[in-house]
């Protein structure tokens, strides 16, 4: 496996270059808050709360046949809200659906029925649109299994879209080539980010997201520097006890996961479910990534194809450069530059 590693590394290096223009804030879930308010029997307001730069992604919803928009479908309320007003011949029912062709991954929708308590659920994208089943927003409704499925999918998609987290895991795989040591190292990383994800989501730890994002990028730079030093014969603590370093930085990465989860504002009754299954989704995504890399390594080893020795550190330099770019970009964002 060791001999084939540079080949797989070059494959991932190409992917890193492809995704080079990643934004400074790398952990948005693509999920925004929204409210459906029944202002009177049969009269409704649908309010999407997004930054101004994303307002164009909030396009006109598709209503049930008996409902029509009042006046112009789309209205604005300040920089962070897009408003739609509509009325229905008869009130919305449990078997009704709202189809939101919004260019977002989902919405954390709060439904406020007329003179009733609000209900909040996460509605995820299904194909080209976010489909809202209104039956899930009635009193006493909402399946635990459906909620578990939604948050698992959210965590799975988030880790696979989080290039910085995946590059950190990939750098760990460069450091640790032994199978059992790799298991211990990845497990330490998993336990650590599970701890801080829980603490931050439950409100016991609260750190600003911008410095956390910058330090996550810096953690990748640190691993790349350690890999270069090891190639020159300077074996450090990272190589002797990689699980210790993985655990320490895992605590930091967990804060990044928590920042993404908390920005959508979880409903109090769903926090335990969201916390557990979002984390399960993250772990499944991480496991899928590691599995793909290991399968690729075995296939490449079977082909006995090797790059020249001088090229072995090229992927590390590329990953480190990309991580340093993120570090500078996110630090500049903190300073308001």
């Amino acid at each position: 496996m060791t001999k084939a590693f540079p080949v797989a590394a070059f494959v991932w290096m190409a992917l890193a270059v492809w995704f080079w223009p990643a934004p400074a804030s790398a952990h948005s879930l693509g999920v925004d808050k929204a409210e459906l308010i029944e202002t009177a029997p049969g009269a409704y307001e649908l309010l999407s709360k997004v930054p101004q730069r994303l307002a164009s992604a909030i396009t006109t919803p598709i209503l049930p046949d008996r409902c029509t928009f009042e006046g112009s479908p789309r209205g604005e309320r300040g920089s962070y809200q897009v408003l739609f007003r509509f009325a229905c011949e008869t009130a919305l029912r449990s078997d009704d659906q709202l189809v939101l062709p919004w260019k977002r991954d989902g919405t954390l929708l709060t439904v406020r029925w007329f003179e009733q308590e609000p209900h909040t659920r996460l509605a995820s994208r299904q194909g080209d649109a976010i489909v809202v089943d209104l039956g899930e927003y009635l009193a006493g409704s909402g399946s635990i299994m459906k909620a578990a499925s939604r948050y698992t999918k959210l965590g799975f998609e988030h880790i696979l879209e989080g290039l910085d987290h995946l590059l950190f895991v990939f750098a760990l795989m460069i450091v640790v080539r032994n199978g059992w040591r790799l298991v211990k190292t990845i497990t330490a990383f998993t336990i650590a980010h599970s701890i801080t994800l829980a603490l931050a989501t439950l409100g016991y730890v609260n750190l600003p997201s911008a410095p956390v994002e910058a330090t996550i990028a810096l953690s990748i730079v640190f691993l790349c520097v350690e890999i270069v030093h090891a190639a020159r014969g300077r074996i450090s603590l990272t190589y002797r006890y990689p699980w210790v370093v993985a655990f320490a930085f895992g605590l930091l990465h967990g804060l990044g996961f928590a920042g993404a989860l908390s920005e959508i504002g979880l409903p109090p009754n769903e926090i335990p479910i969201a916390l557990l299954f979002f984390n399960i989704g993250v772990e499944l995504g991480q496991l899928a990534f590691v599995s793909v890399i290991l399968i690729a390594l075995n296939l490449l080893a079977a082909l006995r194809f090797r790059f020249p020795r001088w090229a072995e550190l090229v992927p590390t330099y590329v990953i480190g450069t990309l991580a340093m770019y993120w570090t500078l970009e996110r630090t500049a964002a903190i300073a308001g530059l």
Side-chain angles (χ1 to χ4, degrees):
M1 186 172 75
T2 302
K3 293 182 178 180
F5 199 89
V7 183
F10 264 85
V11 173
W12 187 251
M13 178 186 68
L15 292 177
V17 172
W18 178 263
F19 286 105
W20 180 275
S25 180
H27 301 106
S28 170
L29 294 177
V31 174
D32 305 293
K33 296 179 184 178
E35 291 185 0
L36 175 64
I37 304 169
E38 188 176 28
T39 56
Y44 303 91
E45 290 184 349
L46 177 61
L47 189 65
S48 176
K49 301 179 179 181
V50 293
Q52 183 63 41
R53 63 184 175 81
L54 297 175
S56 60
I58 308 303
T59 52
T60 305
I62 301 172
L63 306 176
D65 292 339
R66 66 184 186 284
C67 302
T68 56
F69 289 103
E70 294 184 339
S72 175
R74 183 186 181 90
E76 301 285 344
R77 279 188 180 178
S79 300
Y80 290 86
Q81 299 182 1
V82 180
L83 174 66
F84 303 93
R85 288 192 177 93
F86 63 95
C88 302
E89 296 174 3
T90 58
L92 292 172
R93 303 185 299 260
S94 61
D95 57 347
D96 284 324
Q97 289 184 333
L98 288 179
V99 179
L100 311 177
W102 298 348
K103 298 177 180 66
R104 304 294 287 151
D105 293 331
T107 181
L108 191 73
L109 179 66
T110 297
V111 176
R112 303 179 185 276
W113 302 114
F114 187 63
E115 296 182 343
Q116 294 185 32
E117 292 296 317
H119 300 276
T120 304
R121 297 282 187 274
L122 175 66
S124 300
R125 173 175 290 278
Q126 300 178 26
D128 296 331
I130 300 168
V131 179
V132 178
D133 292 311
L134 292 175
E136 295 188 9
Y137 294 84
L138 298 175
S141 68
S143 164
I144 292 178
M145 291 303 297
K146 287 184 178 180
S149 175
R150 287 195 299 267
Y151 286 109
T152 300
K153 179 182 178 184
L154 197 63
F156 186 86
E157 292 175 347
H158 176 60
I159 186 63
L160 293 185
E161 293 172 359
L163 184 60
D164 51 357
H165 291 300
L166 295 183
L167 286 181
F168 182 85
V169 172
F170 188 77
L172 284 176
M173 295 177 71
I174 297 177
V175 171
V176 186
R177 314 249 181 131
N178 176 276
W180 174 237
R181 281 167 62 89
L182 180 61
V183 169
K184 290 194 293 185
T185 302
I186 297 297
T187 300
F189 181 67
T190 296
I191 292 173
H193 70 63
S194 298
I195 291 172
T196 45
L197 173 62
L199 291 176
T201 303
L202 295 173
Y204 293 107
V205 176
N206 185 17
L207 294 178
S209 62
V212 170
E213 301 289 353
T215 313
I216 286 173
L218 193 60
S219 70
I220 305 171
V221 176
F222 171 82
L223 278 185
C224 290
V225 170
E226 293 288 271
I227 293 168
V228 173
H229 285 172
R232 296 173 179 173
R234 295 165 56 186
I235 304 301
S236 63
L237 176 69
T238 301
Y239 273 78
R240 293 191 182 95
Y241 305 103
W243 49 88
V244 175
V245 174
F247 184 88
F249 283 123
L251 295 173
L252 181 67
H253 283 246
L255 294 175
F257 294 141
L261 188 60
S262 63
E263 73 173 6
I264 62 174
L266 294 174
N269 62 312
E270 285 194 357
I271 285 180
I273 294 174
L275 182 60
L276 173 61
F277 289 97
F278 179 82
N279 196 51
I280 288 175
V282 166
E283 298 319 314
L284 290 175
Q286 183 175 284
L287 179 61
F289 171 75
V290 172
S291 298
V292 168
I293 295 297
L294 292 178
I295 290 171
L297 293 179
N298 289 329
L299 290 175
L300 291 167
L303 293 175
R304 297 182 180 179
F305 183 79
R306 297 178 60 188
F307 274 87
R309 187 172 184 81
W310 61 265
E312 291 188 6
L313 283 178
V314 172
T316 300
Y317 281 117
V318 172
I319 294 171
T321 302
L322 177 59
M324 196 66 217
Y325 168 77
W326 283 333
T327 303
L328 295 174
E329 185 184 27
R330 296 173 188 182
T331 303
I334 296 171
L337 301 177

